[in-house]
Amino acid sequence: MKCRHCQTGLTLPLIDLGSAPPSNAYLTRQTLHAPEKYFPLRVLVCIECWLVQTEDYAGADELFSADYAYFSSFSTTWLKHAEKYVADMAQRFALNANSHIVEVAANDGYLLQYVKAHGIPCLGIEPTTSTANAARAKGIEIVEEFFGVKLAKQLVVQGKQADLTAANNVLAHVPDINDFVAGFAHLLKPTGVANFEFPHLLRMVSENQFDTIYHEHYSYLSLTAVKRIFEYNGLSVFDVEELPTHGGSLRVYAQRKDSGLRELN
């Protein structure tokens, strides 16, 4: 296998957890006694760019199917986190009715419902039908597709560039991380800000959080690797926050590399 960012051959193992079924592939009455799919669960380290990544076996279409079972709104603490996030971003970047927020991996509208409550125009991108329909039921406009450069360019043509993009707990879930990140460089307005939240690799290793390793996490992210991936794909990091969520996360603030508006804090 080659690194999903820099294409260097991967030979350095981080951990081998044997094999496991996909984590959200719940069994039904009909499938309870049928053979169950198991995939190897090995994590490797790229010695060139230091991106830590799960060995590829299960495809995104299989992991993020139409009946995807994870609905963010079932967590009351996560709803509070999302509500505070929206309030903080609206204040910090002076977002209002003339702004446009796009959330990638909008899930069931857990976050964009608070954007609507602030009176800020918004759009959600969510490829799983089950959660996309739940978001639409809240009155949120959803594009039901996987995000990347192609979709970003389509949205720009439609006049839907973003003052702020939110991508919370999705960066680890994308197999083509270059295409995904490059999409934000296209979608942002020249003055726009891109936010990414993701579990921090340092915390996973230092606290032995092996139970956060599963097939949906294609990547395990450090700031070192993220900065390199962003720079390669047209974004530059200008601020970083440490968060307590998901066992310890980072919130990274990025801008278009060609804007140069903000200095790294």
Side-chain angles (χ1 to χ4, degrees):
M1 177 180 165
K2 293 184 178 181
C3 173
R4 65 182 76 259
H5 167 57
C6 71
Q7 299 302 303
T8 299
L10 299 176
T11 58
L12 179 62
L14 177 69
I15 190 170
D16 186 339
L17 294 178
S19 61
S23 59
N24 285 314
Y26 298 118
L27 300 178
T28 65
R29 289 179 182 271
Q30 291 73 28
T31 61
L32 188 60
H33 302 291
E36 187 175 6
K37 282 187 178 180
Y38 275 67
F39 297 99
L41 187 52
R42 297 178 65 234
V43 178
L44 306 171
V45 183
C46 177
I47 60 174
E48 176 63 28
C49 70
W50 300 108
L51 179 62
V52 176
Q53 49 209 284
T54 302
E55 195 169 12
D56 285 339
Y57 283 97
D61 290 343
E62 185 166 13
L63 294 175
F64 305 105
S65 60
D67 57 353
Y68 187 63
Y70 183 82
F71 284 66
S72 298
S73 293
F74 279 90
S75 171
T76 55
T77 55
W78 190 241
L79 288 177
K80 291 177 181 178
H81 176 78
E83 185 175 20
K84 184 177 187 302
Y85 167 83
V86 171
D88 289 348
M89 295 306 106
Q91 181 178 24
R92 177 171 179 177
F93 299 111
L95 302 172
N96 53 42
N98 297 315
S99 307
H100 188 227
I101 294 177
V102 178
E103 184 186 15
V104 177
N107 200 264
D108 60 3
Y110 76 100
L111 185 145
L112 291 181
Q113 63 184 337
Y114 300 116
V115 175
K116 284 178 61 69
H118 276 261
I120 304 171
C122 61
L123 172 71
I125 299 170
E126 174 52 56
T128 62
T129 299
S130 56
T131 57
N133 286 338
R136 292 188 183 105
K138 296 172 182 173
I140 297 165
E141 181 183 0
I142 295 290
V143 175
E144 197 173 318
E145 295 184 34
F146 285 100
F147 182 73
V149 170
K150 181 180 178 181
L151 178 56
K153 288 182 175 179
Q154 291 174 355
L155 294 174
V156 171
V157 170
Q158 296 168 13
K160 295 181 178 179
Q161 276 189 291
D163 296 280
L164 176 74
T165 59
N168 296 342
N169 295 295
V170 62
L171 188 58
H173 291 258
V174 293
D176 190 344
I177 198 167
N178 289 325
D179 180 64
F180 183 80
V181 172
F184 291 89
H186 287 280
L187 185 58
L188 283 178
K189 294 178 181 178
T191 58
V193 173
N195 275 160
F196 300 82
E197 292 182 16
F198 49 84
H200 192 191
L201 173 65
L202 176 62
R203 293 287 295 275
M204 185 187 86
V205 173
S206 64
E207 298 179 17
N208 196 28
Q209 298 173 1
F210 65 89
D211 55 341
T212 65
I213 296 171
Y214 65 119
H215 296 103
E216 280 185 29
H217 279 173
Y218 287 92
S219 302
Y220 302 85
L221 300 157
S222 65
L223 184 58
T224 298
V226 164
K227 285 180 67 177
R228 173 172 173 152
I229 293 167
F230 281 20
E231 289 284 337
Y232 180 85
N233 289 293
L235 296 177
S236 62
V237 175
F238 67 88
D239 198 6
V240 182
E241 297 176 17
E242 290 186 281
L243 305 173
T245 54
H246 292 277
S249 297
L250 295 182
R251 176 184 291 159
V252 171
Y253 296 76
Q255 61 190 350
R256 282 171 41 170
K257 194 164 66 171
D258 60 8
S259 73
L261 291 174
R262 307 168 183 92
E263 297 292 333
L264 178 64
N265 288 345

